[in-house]
Amino acid sequence: MGSKALQKFLNDNLNDLKSKGLYNEINVLESGNGPIIKVKGKELINLSSNNYLGLANNAKMIEESIKATNKYGVGAGAVRTINGTLKIHEELEKRLAEFKHTEASIAFQSGFNCNAGAIQAVMNKKDAILSDELNHASIIDGCKLSGAKIIRYKHNDMQDLKVKAKEARESGLYEKLMVISDGVFSMDGDVVNLPGLVEAAEEFDLISYIDDAHGSGVMGKGVGTVKHFGLSHKVDFQMGTLSKAMGVVGGYVAGTQDLIDWLKVRARPFLFSTSLTPASCGAIIEALNIMTNSTHLVDKVWENGNYLKKGLKELGFNIGHSETPITPCIIGEEKLAQQFSKRLMEEGVYAKAIVFPTVPMGTGRVRNMPTAAHTKEMLDKALAIYEKVGKELGVIK
Ligand SMILES: *Cc1c(COP(=O)(O)O)cnc(C)c1O
């Protein structure tokens, strides 16, 4: 029967989550993750993906992934450092570096893996990392793996960052200091104060690391948040994912040749986990072609984001302070947020509730992720459903 202690632990905790409305039921998609998805046989307007540019279902990318599979096979066969580096990995990294205007880049199997490997490759227990209090879980775990002292600063508060950086420097306790932040914060859609962060980095010699998972493909005409601020030459680690706007899977760091050379000998997921599939590489290279040839899709995701925000705001919803297409609809209480999401789904909109511990307690929300693939008709229909459910549940008048 296995361990009794484990059974008790699981029972107690699962029941606790369920009674508090914090247990997440996973919905299974019977279609691709496009603007319309099929769940339990029903078609729904999809406002929950990270497929910002609609590239996850792009026909040309599918074609290129098949070509790469035909040429190289379904798997890379080894970790990068043994003999799992195929010509297509090399090409991908060259293209990512060009895209980011850096000397070099390194690709990982996921964004999470990238943070788990890249931070600990340079930081260790003699060092300290200044980390925004709302940073993504993979950053937090990456920092923990490094063994460095983690010093949290107030969300996007550059004054607090400076105070803490000064304290850390003057304490004489640490060798290297790093500052790490999301470029775009995914739960609220706000953007890092990068000029402020870079100023602090220069003043206190901080290694700067920007995780631009939600900024790449969206900010800076698609190139990312660092480009948006014109600070490409001032940020040491430009980290991004290949799984969100790029529509595939994977993560990367773009930076100087020396930095990338070092990560390729020290980042543990690069050394000890099999490399990206040829199909993924082929599809991502095509995504880069699409994004460099035209800003059409980037323009479209912004247009749709602004349209949805305006509509929700006019209906009287609290949409927070997003500066990007990410549009939270803050409901408050966890159970109400989940009930709201459930009713939206019954009426034809898939917008997942996000509750504690992903966001602070009492700020339960339904988060909307409009993409370039949505039409005005879809967004209008979604807004009509929002109005109906909002009034029904007393969220709006
Ligand atoms: C989604 C996300 C990641 C993880 O990326 P994956 O490619 O999905 O593993 C890392 N950092 C941030 C800020 C993210 O939003």
Side-chain angles (χ1 to χ4, degrees):
M1 265 307 285
S3 158
K4 285 200 193 77
L6 174 64
Q7 202 53 56
K8 181 171 172 357
F9 168 84
L10 296 174
N11 279 344
D12 289 355
N13 286 289
L14 285 170
N15 290 338
D16 182 53
L17 282 183
K18 285 175 186 168
S19 72
K20 287 182 183 149
L22 299 176
Y23 182 74
N24 179 37
E25 298 280 355
I26 291 175
N27 298 117
V28 179
L29 272 61
E30 293 144 15
S31 63
N33 205 340
I36 303 286
I37 50 173
K38 201 167 169 189
V39 178
K40 294 184 185 132
K42 204 174 147 192
E43 297 211 323
L44 305 168
I45 298 167
N46 177 17
L47 288 173
S48 281
S49 79
N50 296 316
N51 184 17
Y52 288 109
L53 303 181
L55 294 178
N57 325 89
N58 182 275
K60 188 79 205 320
M61 285 167 61
I62 294 171
E63 202 181 292
E64 290 303 316
S65 75
I66 293 169
K67 270 195 212 158
T69 303
N70 285 335
K71 182 163 180 186
Y72 294 102
V74 289
V79 302
R80 290 286 302 273
T81 49
I82 307 285
N83 72 351
T85 295
L86 309 173
K87 194 81 190 150
I88 203 165
H89 292 113
E90 196 181 63
E91 189 188 341
L92 172 63
E93 287 170 341
K94 188 169 157 276
R95 291 294 307 275
L96 283 168
E98 282 169 14
F99 183 61
K100 288 284 171 182
H101 311 295
T102 59
E103 287 175 15
S105 87
I106 174 175
F108 290 84
Q109 306 87 342
S110 75
F112 199 110
N113 251 354
C114 182
N115 283 335
I119 301 168
Q120 64 163 319
V122 295
M123 302 304 281
N124 61 54
K125 62 180 191 301
K126 293 179 191 151
D127 302 325
I129 304 173
L130 296 138
S131 174
D132 187 292
E133 64 183 345
L134 294 189
N135 274 344
H136 187 260
S138 61
I139 298 179
I140 297 169
D141 289 7
C143 291
K144 281 186 189 159
L145 283 169
S146 75
K149 167 81 179 169
I150 299 165
I151 302 168
R152 283 160 40 120
Y153 63 89
K154 288 198 199 105
H155 176 52
N156 220 0
D157 183 336
M158 296 307 145
Q159 199 45 46
D160 193 42
L161 169 62
K162 279 191 183 177
V163 168
K164 290 188 169 144
K166 187 165 191 283
E167 270 172 22
R169 264 285 164 250
E170 287 174 356
S171 74
L173 291 170
Y174 311 111
E175 287 181 359
K176 298 191 289 308
L177 295 177
M178 174 184 271
V179 56
I180 190 163
S181 175
D182 281 28
V184 171
F185 291 86
S186 61
M187 294 304 147
D188 295 282
D190 54 334
V191 176
V192 65
N193 175 355
L194 195 61
L197 185 144
V198 164
E199 193 185 301
E202 289 186 331
E203 188 172 346
F204 299 102
D205 190 26
L206 313 176
I207 299 165
S208 51
Y209 189 122
I210 298 295
D211 174 341
D212 210 21
H214 287 272
S216 277
V218 178
M219 297 288 289
K221 289 281 171 200
V223 180
T225 305
V226 174
K227 178 74 168 45
H228 166 81
F229 287 106
L231 292 167
S232 298
H233 54 300
K234 302 259 179 162
V235 172
D236 297 306
F237 287 74
Q238 289 196 55
M239 179 268 168
T241 66
L242 303 168
S243 48
K244 289 174 178 150
M246 299 275 195
V248 192
V249 71
Y252 62 91
V253 174
T256 62
Q257 189 68 53
D258 283 346
L259 173 65
I260 303 308
D261 287 348
W262 179 249
L263 294 179
K264 285 187 171 178
V265 293
R266 278 295 179 277
R268 293 168 69 84
F270 190 85
L271 276 71
F272 299 107
S273 180
T274 300
S275 46
L276 279 169
T277 62
S280 304
C281 297
I284 298 159
I285 291 167
E286 183 55 27
L288 288 166
N289 290 338
I290 294 168
M291 288 168 69
T292 41
N293 285 342
S294 158
T295 60
H296 171 73
L297 294 174
V298 181
D299 297 339
K300 188 79 189 163
V301 70
W302 280 94
E303 186 187 316
N304 281 344
N306 290 336
Y307 188 79
L308 185 70
K309 273 186 194 162
K310 184 167 171 281
L312 287 173
K313 205 168 173 183
E314 279 170 7
L315 288 172
F317 286 102
N318 171 9
I319 59 164
H321 307 284
S322 173
E323 301 165 71
T324 61
I326 297 172
T327 307
C329 196
I330 299 160
I331 309 284
E333 208 254 323
E334 284 66 35
K335 272 190 176 162
L336 184 60
Q338 277 175 339
Q339 194 190 358
F340 193 89
S341 165
K342 185 165 166 274
R343 284 291 299 125
L344 286 178
M345 190 161 155
E346 285 162 3
E347 296 293 331
V349 170
Y350 190 95
K352 192 83 178 158
I354 302 198
V355 297
F356 179 82
T358 308
V359 293
M361 191 70 95
T363 69
R365 65 197 63 192
V366 174
R367 188 184 53 164
N368 301 285
M369 311 291 268
T371 73
H374 287 90
T375 62
K376 281 273 171 330
E377 292 68 41
M378 292 174 195
L379 298 177
D380 283 335
K381 194 170 165 208
L383 285 166
I385 293 170
Y386 254 98
E387 181 174 15
K388 179 177 176 194
V389 174
K391 285 180 177 163
E392 175 190 307
L393 296 179
V395 176
I396 53 169
K397 282 189 229 94

